[in-house]
Amino acid sequence: MNRISKLLTAAALAAMLSGCAASEPVITGLPPTQVTASGETQPVGTNRADAADDPAIWIDPANPNRALIVATDKKAGLHVYDLTGKDITFTQAGLVNNVDVAGNIIVASDRNDGVNAHLAVFRLDADKPAIVALGRAAAGTGEAYGLCLKKTAPGEPITAALIVKDGTVRVGTLTVDGTPSFAIEWEYKIPTQSEGCVFDGDTLYVGEENAGVWELKPNGKTATARMVAPVDNQRLVADVEGLATIDHKGQRYLLVSSQGDNAYAVFKLPSMDYVGRFAVAAGAFGATSETDGIEAVAGNFGAAWPDGLFLAQDGDNGAQAQNFKLVRWDQIAAALGL
């Protein structure tokens, strides 16, 4: 959830109860190193609202140097952008929150039913381009919120993690042949509202918004859980939002959106050793703030993105609707001394 919206709601309630305006203290963590965006997407279609939410990156299985961005307007549907940020196709899907891709399959957490969770499943026809709806898979009770897919080889079953808004985590196999279905394999309840998630092999990392990052390892029908990166107002400032992983020079890293102070924390995997923080400052393109979803991918995607890229939802895009900023990964790695 956009932190400004939360603060405005809390402030309005406090004012009603006390008869005076409430003020929130500004909390900042350790000073982040500064980088700038090298590109941005066109805005999502819903203006004057907290609408852009989560991006994913599709890599062409026939050409690993070609990639597209799939991203949610959580009040309307799914956009596909090229790496120049051009909006090349859109499909209406209503209230879809988080999104991820596996091969040519797009999966989004479907919030159109606030009582029963669903996974919305699509196929990407990248040559047209077009997004083809395949159907919805039921995923138990509760409001669907976070969503991520395990990286698997082509032809392998799709493993999905659905995060219900109350912190319930459901991991299982998503079948997309015919009517989509979701078979839950294990489940774990995180104490409070959670959303961002990412797989690292079988290990699942989940962001509890007001508390920090959990590491979940499957253990039968449930999981062994431990808090590995708490909100400490140094590395992470609430809300904890999007999570992403990236490989760099043989080392895997976890990136976490520290939404409370417009920064991103970086940790080594699997040790969770803290590496540093960075922020996307204004340059040729605007700064990022109030970031929800993030994504990162290594690879050579042409002269503009020779070593991969980092994507961040931007909660304040000036007079325009929200969008997503693109940052060269090699610039982030250099700034952090990786």
Side-chain angles (χ1 to χ4, degrees):
M1 178 182 292
N2 182 280
R3 187 168 178 268
I4 290 177
S5 299
K6 284 187 174 181
L7 294 182
L8 288 175
T9 301
L13 178 59
M16 289 173 61
L17 294 175
S18 66
C20 61
S23 61
E24 284 284 336
V26 177
I27 300 173
T28 58
L30 297 169
T33 187
Q34 304 290 310
V35 298
T36 57
S38 295
E40 65 179 344
T41 67
Q42 291 180 290
V44 298
T46 303
N47 202 0
R48 301 180 182 276
D50 176 29
D53 193 80
D54 190 46
I57 297 174
W58 172 84
I59 298 176
D60 188 341
N63 178 8
N65 301 120
R66 178 190 178 214
L68 297 172
I69 297 165
V70 181
T72 56
D73 177 334
K74 64 185 177 184
K75 301 183 184 301
L78 292 168
H79 291 268
V80 176
Y81 302 96
D82 64 22
L83 295 189
T84 70
K86 181 181 178 181
D87 192 347
I88 57 176
T89 191
F90 171 79
T91 189
Q92 293 184 345
L95 307 180
V96 286
N97 207 61
N98 283 16
V99 67
D100 208 347
V101 295
N104 289 337
I105 298 298
I106 300 170
V107 185
S109 54
D110 187 320
R111 301 174 67 187
N112 289 289
D113 180 346
V115 177
N116 297 294
H118 292 84
L119 303 180
V121 184
F122 308 84
R123 178 173 54 82
L124 175 64
D125 185 338
D127 293 329
K128 286 188 176 179
I131 301 172
V132 180
L134 300 181
R136 300 163 75 220
T141 59
E143 182 180 351
Y145 208 47
L147 179 283
C148 56
L149 304 179
K150 181 181 175 181
K151 304 304 180 187
T152 56
E156 290 186 358
I158 298 173
T159 297
L162 176 73
I163 317 297
V164 179
K165 196 170 186 178
D166 70 357
T168 300
V169 179
R170 297 184 183 126
V171 176
T173 300
L174 177 65
T175 301
V176 298
D177 296 331
T179 301
S181 63
F182 180 57
I184 299 170
E185 297 172 1
W186 61 267
E187 186 170 314
Y188 184 84
K189 177 65 172 69
I190 287 173
T192 64
Q193 183 169 308
S194 306
E195 181 180 5
C197 68
V198 68
F199 280 97
D200 180 40
D202 290 332
T203 301
L204 180 66
Y205 294 94
V206 178
E208 183 181 6
E209 295 189 359
N210 290 326
V213 178
W214 288 88
E215 175 193 82
L216 303 183
K217 293 181 178 292
N219 183 11
K221 295 295 185 180
T222 183
T224 301
R226 67 184 183 113
M227 173 66 70
V228 291
V231 168
D232 57 5
N233 294 330
Q234 296 184 59
R235 299 173 300 176
L236 293 174
V237 178
D239 285 352
V240 171
E241 289 287 343
L243 278 66
T245 60
I246 192 167
D247 294 309
H248 180 77
K249 294 184 177 179
Q251 174 63 55
R252 195 162 176 82
Y253 296 93
L254 174 69
L255 287 63
V256 184
S257 172
S258 176
Q259 190 188 74
D261 67 341
N262 307 323
Y264 312 92
V266 182
F267 303 86
K268 286 184 178 180
L269 289 176
S271 65
M272 284 300 293
D273 292 336
Y274 172 69
V275 172
R277 287 158 43 91
F278 68 94
V280 181
F285 301 91
T288 61
S289 61
E290 303 292 337
T291 294
D292 286 322
I294 61 174
E295 181 61 291
V297 64
N300 184 346
F301 303 108
W305 316 104
D307 198 32
L309 68 151
F310 169 77
L311 285 170
Q313 181 261 6
D314 184 9
D316 183 0
N317 194 33
Q320 296 184 308
Q322 295 177 338
N323 71 347
F324 302 86
K325 299 296 194 289
L326 290 73
V327 185
R328 286 175 53 142
W329 173 251
D330 57 344
Q331 294 185 357
I332 296 171
L336 293 172
L338 303 183

